[in-house]
Amino acid sequence: MERVDVAVVGGGILGTSVAYWLAARYDGRFVVLEKEARVAEHTSRRNTGVVHRPFYLHPKKRRVFARAAQVSYGLWKKYAAEKHLPFAEIGTLEVALRESQMETLETYMTWATENGMARGEVELLDGAEVRRLEPNVRCAGAIHSKTDTCVDYRAFTEALKADAEALGAKFLFGGTVQEVRAYGEDLEVVLAGRPEPMRARFLVNCAGGDAIDVAHGAGVGLEYADIHFRGEYWVVDERAKDLASRNLYSVPAHKDMPFLDPHWVVRANGGREIGPNAVPVPNAYQYQGLRVSRWMEKLLEPPSQNKVRLLLNPEFMNLAAAEFLSSLSKAEMLGRVQRFLPALKEEHLVAPGTAGVRSQVIDRHGGMAREAIEVPGPHSYHILNYNSPGATGAPAYAAYIVDRLAARGDLDHLRRNPKPTRVWDWDPVSKAMGLAA
């Protein structure tokens, strides 16, 4: 029976980053368990592809996400330069559709400073100033985040995988984690398609859309449920790409819900798309169709009361119905973008883009968690609700997790052996995250 020191479940950008830092700081047998045939097959590549600056993140309520995003911006910029990966600082305009929303943008300016952004990185503009930057945009005003960046997160993850492997980590593909059970001082990790379970001294759950299932299979996090939202995109005709040169977002009307109006998105390859919406779907990998028949099965998954309480929220139900409509109607999604980019026409939307799914944790009160949730378990640690801007903050948040595990004593079975790394230095990252070196 194979035995490892730490098993990391999930070969997305977070799991790969955790494996990198483990191997960089310790000697041991580290393995990443990924159900697919390669890394970054799901949410880590199926997203807007933006390194988000943290101007819109509450410095206290979303402290971990905000700090990880701020620290990781510099890490990704340095990494892209070293690895010759795309890193286009094209900027983002978050626009106020109404004068009353300017107050939100003023708050964002304060948050940007509190989260560590430099004064010159972000600017508050009125409608006329926006039009001078982007002549086709119509709005009351906007916040201009000048260093928001377009990247290819799959390319980042694949390069980081190679670096983790060079430090001694291994990646095992094609085995879904079916069960995690205690086995004396170890865990037994049951993998689909393998005749014998794997033995692990410790397990870190970074399984994204499967994170709740893995945690429940280990007997922890039972007070949490999840629900999944598919984000769909439309590809903009190449001939219309010059309608705007920056990412365009609008101030969310419902800040406590995961329903954001579709954006104008600049891709790392120079293409343009609009999206995403947020269509409720019954599983984490449903990239097409609605499969209404599967909803009852999802709603009955324990703890079902979390989802029932969410469904009793009329604001959620009204917004969910609107999102279903945006999935069925190209014109519906187009209309949302035309509110700030009226020059965009239906004939400009030439093909569906890549859809992705965000998995949202629901607490026992039917509320949607906003911050990352970390749940310790027997010989394990489970990262739940690590969503947007998760890819942005992955390398700094992964360092934060490794340091936290060390402080808890969960890595005492490993021999500490910090290794020289070519691109990132541990001490500045740890210090910037507010942790002990």
Side-chain angles (χ1 to χ4, degrees):
M1 182 182 295
E2 186 179 0
R3 188 172 186 268
V4 300
D5 292 306
V6 181
V8 179
V9 183
I13 199 164
L14 178 61
T16 302
S17 298
V18 168
Y20 170 84
W21 284 122
L22 283 171
R25 301 292 294 165
Y26 296 92
D27 287 335
R29 291 159 294 179
F30 308 116
V31 62
V32 176
L33 306 176
E34 169 52 48
K35 63 188 289 185
E36 305 297 349
R38 60 188 296 192
V39 295
E41 182 60 27
H42 294 292
T43 306
S44 295
R45 75 173 178 90
R46 294 173 173 269
N47 52 51
T48 53
V50 176
V51 176
H52 292 282
R53 308 299 281 118
F55 66 88
Y56 64 98
L57 297 173
H58 194 293
K60 295 182 176 62
K61 294 180 181 179
R62 304 200 69 193
R63 180 185 68 87
V64 174
F65 274 117
R67 184 168 295 184
Q70 174 64 13
V71 176
S72 292
Y73 164 72
L75 298 179
W76 285 136
K77 186 173 185 176
K78 188 176 181 181
Y79 198 73
E82 175 69 25
K83 302 292 182 179
H84 306 290
L85 298 171
F87 196 87
E89 291 185 336
I90 52 91
T92 291
L93 287 169
E94 179 146 343
V95 304
L97 301 176
R98 303 179 299 278
E99 194 65 38
S100 60
Q101 293 179 325
M102 291 299 292
E103 184 177 346
T104 297
L105 298 184
E106 291 167 1
T107 299
Y108 285 173
M109 288 292 292
T110 301
W111 289 358
T113 301
E114 291 184 35
N115 287 332
M117 292 182 67
R119 184 181 298 272
E121 288 185 281
V122 62
E123 185 178 14
L124 188 63
L125 307 175
D126 62 26
E129 290 170 323
V130 171
R131 285 193 295 276
R132 282 197 286 272
L133 281 180
E134 296 286 357
N136 291 309
V137 174
R138 298 293 179 267
C139 62
I143 192 167
H144 183 200
S145 179
K146 301 175 185 179
T147 48
D148 274 34
T149 303
C150 301
V151 300
D152 181 343
Y153 279 119
R154 165 165 271 180
F156 276 173
T157 309
E158 289 177 332
L160 198 56
K161 168 185 174 288
D163 287 345
E165 289 176 322
L167 292 166
K170 295 183 178 179
F171 286 71
L172 180 63
F173 295 101
T176 301
V177 174
Q178 294 183 318
E179 187 179 358
V180 178
R181 57 193 182 218
Y183 187 87
E185 292 293 315
D186 296 344
L187 294 172
E188 280 191 344
V189 183
V190 180
L191 299 171
R194 290 175 64 92
E196 289 189 341
M198 174 180 287
R199 291 263 298 277
R201 287 287 301 275
F202 196 78
L203 179 143
V204 185
N205 174 9
C206 302
D210 291 329
I212 285 285
D213 294 336
V214 172
H216 287 181
V220 300
L222 301 179
E223 69 272 32
Y224 296 113
D226 62 5
I227 193 167
H228 312 290
F229 296 90
R230 183 174 68 222
E232 301 162 339
Y233 297 84
W234 280 93
V235 176
V236 176
D237 193 310
E238 179 77 13
R239 292 169 294 181
K241 64 180 295 185
D242 292 332
L243 288 178
S245 61
R246 296 166 177 83
N247 295 318
L248 305 175
Y249 292 49
S250 59
V251 173
H254 305 273
K255 298 181 180 63
D256 294 326
M257 293 284 174
F259 303 108
L260 304 178
D261 279 326
H263 325 313
W264 169 273
V265 179
V266 179
R267 293 294 190 182
N269 63 5
R272 309 290 196 264
E273 297 186 17
I274 66 165
N277 51 7
V279 183
V281 290
N283 69 70
Y285 308 106
Q286 188 176 320
Y287 299 122
Q288 295 180 337
L290 297 177
R291 297 186 189 175
V292 177
S293 61
R294 297 286 302 277
W295 267 107
M296 186 56 64
E297 178 184 338
K298 178 63 181 177
L299 293 176
L300 292 176
E301 284 180 0
S304 59
Q305 65 269 21
N306 299 44
K307 287 162 281 188
V308 169
R309 287 172 180 143
L310 176 64
L311 296 179
L312 292 175
N313 182 335
E315 181 185 15
F316 172 81
M317 293 304 294
N318 289 335
L319 292 170
E323 294 302 302
F324 277 119
L325 180 59
S326 76
S327 181
L328 298 171
S329 168
K330 180 198 297 189
E332 174 66 19
M333 189 186 290
L334 171 66
R336 298 185 187 184
V337 178
Q338 285 177 324
R339 287 185 293 176
F340 56 84
L341 192 63
L344 184 67
K345 306 302 180 185
E346 186 164 355
E347 59 265 26
H348 294 152
L349 306 182
V350 294
T354 300
V357 174
R358 173 192 291 189
S359 297
Q360 176 73 51
V361 170
I362 312 300
D363 64 28
R364 65 183 65 191
H365 305 293
M368 296 189 182
R370 300 289 287 167
E371 186 64 289
I373 296 173
E374 301 160 19
V375 181
H379 309 302
S380 60
Y381 202 74
H382 303 263
I383 314 301
L384 312 179
N385 202 60
Y386 186 71
N387 51 43
S388 181
T392 290
Y397 182 69
Y400 166 88
I401 290 298
V402 170
D403 220 350
R404 174 164 286 198
L405 295 177
R408 286 170 39 85
D410 293 327
L411 306 180
D412 286 353
H413 61 291
L414 302 173
R415 186 172 76 88
R416 184 184 289 266
N417 181 23
K419 306 171 184 70
T421 52
R422 183 169 179 177
V423 184
W424 296 335
D425 295 325
W426 170 267
D427 289 343
V429 177
S430 177
K431 182 178 180 181
M433 289 298 294
L435 304 170

